[in-house]
Amino acid sequence: MSSPFSDLGHSPATPAPGNDANAGAAMATRQRSVCLCADDFGLHDGINAAVLDLARRRRLGATACMVDGPCWAEGAHALRALPASWLDVGLHLDLTEMRLSQQRKYPRRRLIANSYLQRLDPDWLLAEAERQLTAFETHMQRPPAFVSGHRHVHQLPQVRDALLQVLEQRYPAMQRPWLRSTRPALQGSAALRIGWRNALKARAIACLGAKALAQAAAERHFAMNRALAGVYGFDASARNYQRLLSIWLQRCQHGDVLACHPSNSVVPGDAIAHARCIEYQVLAADSFDQLFAQADVHIGPLSRQLQADGSMAAI
């Protein structure tokens, strides 16, 4: 694909240094490890292609999948061909984007309002969580390694209760997925390094339910990431996104998730299509190796980190 960002450099899909055979040694020495997670897999071909390319380069630790996306079934087949140890593949619970069971779908603001007013149908939430988990397992032929929410809906009141109930009933303790926390990874003056608008957005997302979800998850013994990085306004140039990525990698702590949204092409109807292409160009560039080398950070699946730290039973 031709791109205005070609000056960033782009190399063949080969594993990044330090992210392949040395992964076990890195964990053994407790190197700071961050899970770089690509969201929205299955939504369209551009996202799928970018995620698969970055996964083969060993530049991702996870991908979050939308099972109602038009490209999910084909994409899942390609994901299954990758070694499971390379990538945590999880469910990206969606209540706002695609056509759902019973043809229900909520605009994001209405969903948030109704969840706080306790106006969502609990039976529908339970059924929707079950249906999407079943769709994931049908195509991946294994349980999800984790569960997150498209637009962070998994942490909302009512939604989190239904989700935890389904997960607790569906999976025994030894097979439970980890859950994604939206607690901001950067705090105080460090948060201002990414810009006050981006820092404010990260905090606003967390205020929608990060603390309540963490409490409920702890009570039910679900593992979680420490915090979340990667939140910004989807308005950065390639150079600015590279700068943000450098800050996140430098400042993230062991056990954090760094979310990204790459795509290798602009797809009509995708509200953040341009930002997705910028992210992919930065993540696929030769300079990416330098970013994580300078940060002295290992990128890998969070489930491996949790197991090594004793925070999660083997799955």
Side-chain angles (χ1 to χ4, degrees):
M1 178 186 68
S2 61
S3 168
F5 318 115
S6 57
D7 61 320
L8 291 170
H10 195 280
S11 60
T14 55
N19 280 7
D20 45 21
N22 295 326
M27 293 305 299
T29 59
R30 289 301 305 275
Q31 180 182 16
R32 185 169 54 97
S33 191
V34 171
C35 180
L36 182 58
C37 179
D39 285 352
D40 305 337
F41 187 90
L43 186 59
H44 58 67
D45 282 333
I47 295 171
N48 286 11
V51 171
L52 290 167
D53 175 60
L54 293 170
R56 292 176 183 125
R57 295 168 183 267
R58 306 299 298 279
R59 294 184 176 189
L60 293 176
T63 188
C65 304
M66 299 177 67
V67 297
D68 289 320
C71 298
W72 160 243
E74 182 179 358
H77 179 77
L79 282 178
R80 289 203 316 272
L82 299 176
S85 61
W86 283 14
L87 199 68
D88 279 351
V89 181
L91 173 67
H92 208 39
L93 183 72
D94 172 32
L95 300 176
T96 64
E97 189 78 24
M98 309 305 301
R99 185 179 297 276
L100 307 176
S101 63
Q102 304 174 25
Q103 297 188 352
R104 289 192 183 187
K105 182 172 69 173
Y106 283 93
R108 178 176 52 178
R109 292 181 180 179
R110 185 183 301 174
L111 179 73
I112 294 171
N114 284 350
S115 71
Y116 273 89
L117 293 171
Q118 300 289 308
R119 290 179 178 173
L120 298 177
D121 180 356
D123 291 335
W124 172 71
L125 289 172
L126 291 169
E128 197 54 45
E130 286 277 11
R131 186 188 67 81
Q132 293 190 36
L133 286 164
T134 297
F136 180 95
E137 292 183 3
T138 297
H139 290 283
M140 283 304 298
Q141 299 176 7
R142 63 180 188 252
F146 69 97
V147 176
S148 60
H150 183 56
R151 297 184 172 178
H152 314 288
V153 299
H154 66 299
Q155 65 179 343
L156 295 175
Q158 290 195 274
V159 179
R160 62 177 176 257
D161 295 331
L163 176 61
L164 286 169
Q165 180 179 331
V166 169
L167 292 175
E168 195 170 29
Q169 293 174 351
R170 192 178 181 103
Y171 303 113
M174 297 291 287
Q175 295 181 350
R176 286 180 183 170
W178 56 269
L179 303 174
R180 190 152 87 182
S181 169
T182 63
R183 177 180 179 269
L186 275 61
Q187 303 285 342
S189 59
L192 295 180
R193 293 194 61 191
I194 62 171
W196 69 268
R197 287 186 177 87
N198 295 332
L200 183 62
K201 181 178 179 180
R203 185 161 292 279
I205 288 171
C207 285
L208 293 176
K211 184 176 180 179
L213 177 61
Q215 291 174 340
E219 291 171 0
R220 294 166 174 82
H221 306 291
F222 282 89
M224 300 186 76
N225 56 301
R226 190 199 73 90
L228 179 69
V231 175
Y232 72 110
F234 297 115
D235 54 357
S237 66
R239 292 298 181 188
N240 284 339
Y241 183 71
Q242 187 177 56
R243 181 184 66 83
L244 289 173
L245 192 60
S246 177
I247 294 171
W248 288 320
L249 288 172
Q250 291 281 352
R251 295 286 180 164
C252 277
Q253 296 185 32
H254 184 73
D256 285 354
V257 165
L258 201 172
C260 60
H261 301 78
S263 172
N264 76 347
S265 58
V266 173
V267 173
D270 187 340
I272 60 169
H274 187 62
R276 291 188 193 274
C277 290
I278 288 175
E279 290 191 26
Y280 173 63
Q281 291 295 326
V282 173
L283 293 169
D286 295 337
S287 55
F288 179 80
D289 291 348
Q290 300 171 5
L291 289 181
F292 77 78
Q294 291 169 358
D296 190 25
V297 63
H298 169 74
I299 295 173
L302 184 67
S303 59
R304 184 190 300 159
Q305 300 172 30
L306 293 170
Q307 291 166 23
D309 297 341
S311 304
M312 183 178 186
I315 56 175

